Amino acid sequence: MARVNGSDAAQGRAYGRPVATYDKELVQVGPGTIGGELLRRYWQPFALSTEITDDLPKAVRILGEDLIAFRDKEGTPGLMYPRCLHRGASLLYGKVEPKGIRCPYHGWLFDTEGHLLDTPCEIDQNSKIKKIVRQPWYPVIEKFGLMFCYMGPPEKQPLFPRIPEVFEELAADELLVATGGINPVTTGSAAIFFGAMDFNWWALYENHMDPMHVGALHTTINGIQFFEHVSYNPSPCKFKYLSDGSGTAWLAHWRSEKEGIVTQEVMQTVIPNLVIRGPTFKPGGAMMLWVLPVDDTNHRVFLLVRCPKDDPKLNYRLQFSMAQPGWGPGKPWEHWTTEDHQRWQTDYIVQKSLGPINLQSDEHMTSADAGVAMIRRVFKRQAELVREGKDPIGARPGAAQSVEVIAGTAILDFETLEFRAGCLRATVSDF
Ligand code: FES
Ligand SMILES: [Fe+2]
């Protein structure tokens, strides 16, 4: 909320200013934290299917927990606490077997649900140890080329969500492309969205509810990063809560007199960490991304995109080409220096510049930030329900969340606003 920086006598100087703080309910993701317990009530992606093989286990960090992921030789994926419950050797160095993983130190064998199957060094033949010990594990499912885990209370486990507009009922000429992962692409324009992001997940998540930065950061501040017509302020620009209370959405019209079109973009966020959107400034239907908190100061993005079968790579590149040719310092993303970032600002650098964790107490939000304020409010309300022992929206035990998709990008006639191309699931009157 708005806060006056000091008294008249202080003259607004930096001296004596209050220590800036963050909003713990939003930003903390570890076990037992308010936001972390909400995030744990939903299936979360943590790797591409292809990254979890029956060769070597992989170290993964999810919601502040260090885990190992593997696939046993029979093909069953596992996600486990890495410290062997015998005497603590890491299962990262374990041997993957037909049924589970064997600790390298004394050979204890655990299946993918943590059952202790074998203790080859055991001297006491009457030992009850196999009945007593269970290596801590989490359920894993594989869907659409991604690996998902559920890290919440067992009795609260929901089914995997159903979102037909994104990942079901594909046309014969369509396929789903999953991206992100443990070792995602780190070069080229795609890296602006993907890779290991070294700051709190909210900076990226709530950026999706901030259409106003497009005309500033991506257009007028340091050159046109998208397309010419984005340089206009969106008009109208509307925000709303989703009708079922699960999140928020905005609708913006990007008007281009030169091209004689209006590009209508509708984007939605669904708590706890989903974004559903159309392709950026190109006509098209929904794609979905999860902003996965690795811990309080790191996150990753996982994404599902519907693509035409004939050229999924091309479609992917088009959808995520952040920069026009010639924009930027002309070198691979990972080689940009501080000076390069000072000359060419991207989503990444402005979000990272908020700090490892954004300090919300310093903020002065205005009507332009309505979407950000709204998604924070929805998240905190649902987190509060979890704290009260209730079920948050879309995460009822044994039920599948179903999300009403209104996101999409459409091209409209400049004068009449009649639909011309793309995906129109909502209009101005719906906002
Ligand atoms: S520490 Fe794992 S078997 Fe001994
Ligand atoms: Fe952006």
Side-chain angles (χ1 to χ4, degrees):
M1 288 307 295
R3 182 175 54 82
V4 177
N5 183 21
S7 63
D8 286 351
Q11 300 176 20
R13 297 193 192 187
Y15 177 80
R17 71 193 181 281
V19 175
T21 55
Y22 52 74
D23 184 339
K24 287 185 189 166
E25 292 179 28
L26 279 182
V27 303
Q28 293 183 334
V29 302
T33 61
I34 290 168
E37 289 302 307
L38 177 65
L39 288 155
R40 280 170 173 73
R41 296 292 296 274
Y42 302 80
W43 287 93
Q44 297 290 349
F46 66 92
L48 295 177
S49 285
T50 49
E51 291 177 309
I52 308 303
T53 70
D54 65 4
D55 182 19
L56 298 174
K58 289 238 167 43
V60 291
R61 190 162 161 79
I62 315 167
L63 304 180
E65 298 187 41
D66 283 311
L67 302 165
I68 59 135
F70 66 98
R71 188 187 297 276
D72 73 18
K73 300 283 184 197
E74 289 181 355
T76 308
L79 183 66
M80 274 183 184
Y81 178 64
R83 291 178 58 84
C84 171
L85 284 203
H86 177 219
R87 279 176 37 215
S90 175
L91 295 173
L92 182 63
Y93 306 100
K95 295 285 181 205
V96 173
E97 297 206 352
K99 263 203 184 337
I101 188 165
R102 192 178 291 278
C103 177
Y105 205 177
H106 312 93
W108 283 20
L109 175 70
F110 303 102
D111 73 11
T112 54
E113 296 190 353
H115 297 105
L116 178 54
L117 303 180
D118 190 22
T119 55
C121 296
E122 183 55 53
I123 294 167
D124 176 5
Q125 292 307 308
N126 298 317
S127 167
K128 301 262 188 310
I129 193 73
K130 285 187 201 155
K131 293 204 168 60
I132 298 166
V133 165
R134 194 152 173 193
Q135 186 68 20
W137 67 288
Y138 286 123
V140 173
I141 49 174
E142 252 177 304
K143 290 272 187 187
F144 314 117
L146 291 172
M147 310 294 298
F148 292 85
C149 60
Y150 173 75
M151 295 170 64
E155 72 282 7
K156 296 291 191 182
Q157 185 175 319
L159 299 177
F160 193 78
R162 301 212 50 201
I163 309 180
E165 293 88 342
V166 181
F167 45 65
E168 294 173 13
E169 299 167 13
L170 296 192
D173 61 348
E174 284 182 314
L175 55 75
L176 263 183
V177 178
T179 63
I182 300 172
N183 298 306
V185 179
T186 56
T187 55
S189 57
I192 293 170
F193 271 122
F194 303 118
M197 294 292 185
D198 49 352
F199 50 88
N200 183 261
W201 72 283
W202 268 97
L204 179 66
Y205 188 53
E206 65 193 13
N207 175 69
H208 289 94
M209 275 297 117
D210 177 13
M212 297 305 185
H213 82 281
V214 177
L217 171 71
H218 295 304
T219 306
T220 52
I221 301 291
N222 62 7
I224 295 166
Q225 297 175 30
F226 295 117
F227 299 91
E228 190 273 336
H229 60 254
V230 180
S231 61
Y232 296 82
N233 277 334
S235 173
C237 182
K238 304 250 185 192
F239 301 93
K240 73 167 195 172
Y241 292 104
L242 298 177
S243 54
D244 65 357
S246 66
T248 56
W250 56 258
L251 173 147
H253 280 184
W254 310 97
R255 304 176 62 79
S256 173
E257 196 154 10
K258 193 167 129 194
E259 294 167 78
I261 58 168
V262 169
T263 305
Q264 171 177 294
E265 202 171 352
V266 176
M267 195 179 299
Q268 69 189 100
T269 45
V270 177
I271 56 110
N273 58 336
L274 279 179
V275 179
I276 307 177
R277 59 182 298 174
T280 305
F281 308 110
K282 299 230 174 233
M287 64 179 101
M288 185 155 123
L289 59 97
W290 288 258
V291 182
L292 176 78
V294 169
D295 54 31
D296 291 355
T297 55
N298 294 278
H299 67 271
R300 293 182 184 284
V301 172
F302 292 88
L303 184 114
L304 285 175
V305 190
R306 282 174 98 122
C307 290
K309 268 184 184 159
D310 49 7
D311 194 351
K313 277 231 166 80
L314 176 64
N315 197 304
Y316 167 74
R317 269 201 302 276
L318 287 175
Q319 284 166 331
F320 289 93
S321 176
M322 291 284 285
Q324 303 252 38
W327 188 90
K331 52 172 104 160
W333 173 250
E334 65 271 29
H335 295 148
W336 287 29
T337 62
T338 298
E339 188 179 329
D340 291 327
H341 284 296
Q342 287 178 293
R343 296 192 190 283
W344 306 94
Q345 296 90 39
T346 56
D347 276 311
Y348 169 77
I349 204 64
V350 296
Q351 289 165 29
K352 182 174 167 54
S353 75
L354 302 180
I357 302 178
N358 187 13
L359 301 169
Q360 286 88 5
S361 72
D362 266 349
E363 292 176 327
H364 294 77
M365 302 230 280
T366 73
S367 57
D369 307 298
V372 173
M374 288 162 84
I375 190 59
R376 289 182 186 177
R377 216 172 283 142
V378 176
F379 183 92
K380 288 172 85 163
R381 173 69 191 128
Q382 297 300 320
E384 185 59 32
L385 289 179
V386 172
R387 193 157 58 158
E388 290 167 359
K390 299 180 183 140
D391 297 326
I393 191 159
R396 274 185 297 117
Q401 178 182 22
S402 119
V403 175
E404 188 206 351
V405 173
I406 58 171
T409 309
I411 303 297
L412 312 178
D413 184 87
F414 188 78
E415 298 297 338
T416 64
L417 297 184
E418 268 168 29
F419 173 77
R420 280 207 199 157
C423 177
L424 192 75
R425 291 197 177 97
T427 63
V428 180
S429 60
D430 297 317
F431 274 73

